[in-house]
């Protein structure tokens, strides 16, 4: 949504925002893909046409990302969509209430949420595949990032093409440089405590801390100052000015 707003596309095509949110740093990641039962006739994303599916809660960030992917694949709205709570994905797929469902890992394929743990333990699943042309099309999207991952907690899936949501802390454009710089420093100084309290936080390696940045999105100058002090190369960043 942030990218759409800056680029004046999607829901912002007719009415661009008056101001911009400035990037501060990245916090966590979710990698999304689609699954079906191993005994299903569904193999590819084209096979979803006319089938009953669920992805993620309508209006959520993961739903928005999946919608973008499906639009690029030319299948958006060509299926019967059911809005089902994430905790019920496993039972819905197992009982045949849906023919395919969205799935996601966190922290670059290394962790699962409770709902995904239930899905993985309840039903034998396999990922959907894309043709070479489809894969090239979605990999060409500036957002969301598309990449091959190894979803470790899914025992039967070695590798899958996933679209990635990296959450960012952002600042309003009126926040002063000094205040944003202080806020980012406090976060970074207490990262271990935050990670202990919330297990899905990325490790505080510099690449992780700006992994959700896109070239088109402006970075708050206060945040950029902190990254520069840590030795991060920021010359190519689009640094804004409050």
């Amino acid at each position: 949504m942030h990218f759409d707003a800056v680029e004046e596309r999607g829901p912002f095509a007719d009415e661009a925002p008056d101001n911009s949110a400035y990037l501060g740093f990245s916090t966590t990641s979710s990698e999304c893909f689609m699954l079906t039962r191993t005994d299903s006739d569904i193999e590819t994303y084209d096979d979803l046409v006319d089938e009953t599916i669920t992805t993620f809660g309508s209006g959520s960030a993961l739903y928005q990302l999946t919608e973008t992917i499906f639009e690029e694949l030319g299948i958006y709205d060509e299926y019967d969509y059911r809005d089902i709570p994430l905790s019920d994905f496993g039972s819905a797929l197992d009982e045949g209430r849906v023919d395919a469902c969205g799935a996601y890992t966190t922290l670059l394929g290394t962790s699962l949420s409770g709902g995904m743990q239930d899905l993985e333990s309840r039903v034998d699943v396999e990922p959907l595949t894309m043709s070479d042309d489809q894969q090239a099309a979605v990999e060409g999207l500036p957002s969301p990032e598309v990449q091959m991952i190894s979803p470790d907690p899914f025992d039967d899936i070695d590798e899958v093409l996933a679209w990635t949501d990296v959450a960012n802390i952002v600042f309003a454009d009126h926040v002063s440089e000094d205040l944003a710089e202080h806020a980012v420093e406090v976060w970074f100084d207490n990262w271990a405590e935050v990670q202990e309290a919330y297990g899905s936080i990325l490790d505080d390696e510099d690449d992780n801390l700006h992994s959700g940045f896109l070239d088109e999105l402006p970075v708050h100058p206060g945040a950029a100052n902190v990254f520069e002090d840590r030795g991060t190369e920021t010359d190519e960043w689009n640094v804004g000015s409050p």
Side-chain angles (χ1 to χ4, degrees), residues 45 51 58 60 76 121 128-129 155 158 160 205 224 227 242:
Y45 282 82
E51 301 291 349
S58 57
S60 68
Y76 177 67
S121 64
L128 275 63
T129 61
D155 293 336
D158 295 327
V160 64
E205 300 170 359
F227 277 105

Side-chain angles (χ1 to χ4, degrees), residues 79-204:
Y79 38 74
D80 179 17
Y81 178 78
R82 303 286 175 85
D83 207 349
I84 296 174
L86 186 66
S87 58
D88 292 341
F89 277 22
S91 61
L93 189 64
D94 187 31
E95 296 165 4
R97 289 184 280 130
V98 296
D99 302 302
C101 71
Y104 75 98
T105 57
T106 57
L107 301 180
L108 305 178
T110 62
S111 180
L112 286 184
S113 70
M116 290 296 98
Q117 290 173 4
D118 177 74
L119 170 64
E120 197 278 334
S121 64
R122 180 184 290 267
V123 57
D124 293 331
V125 294
E126 62 183 12
L128 275 63
T129 61
M130 294 185 190
S131 68
D132 291 342
D133 288 344
Q134 287 178 326
Q135 183 169 336
V138 297
E139 286 179 341
L141 289 169
S143 177
E145 180 184 4
V146 179
Q147 57 187 326
M148 296 298 296
I149 67 166
S150 297
D152 296 338
F154 284 94
D155 293 336
D156 298 328
I157 304 176
D158 295 327
E159 196 173 51
V160 64
L161 190 68
W163 43 99
T164 302
D165 171 37
V166 179
N168 298 303
I169 296 294
V170 300
F171 295 96
D173 60 357
H174 64 265
V175 174
S176 72
E177 187 170 334
D178 288 344
L179 181 57
E181 185 172 337
H182 175 68
V184 175
E185 286 176 340
V186 169
W187 265 85
F188 286 3
D189 288 346
N190 294 278
W191 198 269
E193 287 79 4
V194 176
Q195 193 173 42
E196 183 177 353
Y198 184 69
S200 292
I201 290 288
L202 292 162
D203 290 336
D204 59 342

Side-chain angles (χ1 to χ4, degrees), residues 36-44 47-48 51 99 126 128:
T36 187
R37 296 181 302 275
T38 53
D39 61 355
S40 171
D41 293 332
I42 297 173
E43 296 180 354
T44 71
D47 293 337
L48 294 179
E51 301 291 349
D99 302 302
E126 62 183 12
L128 275 63

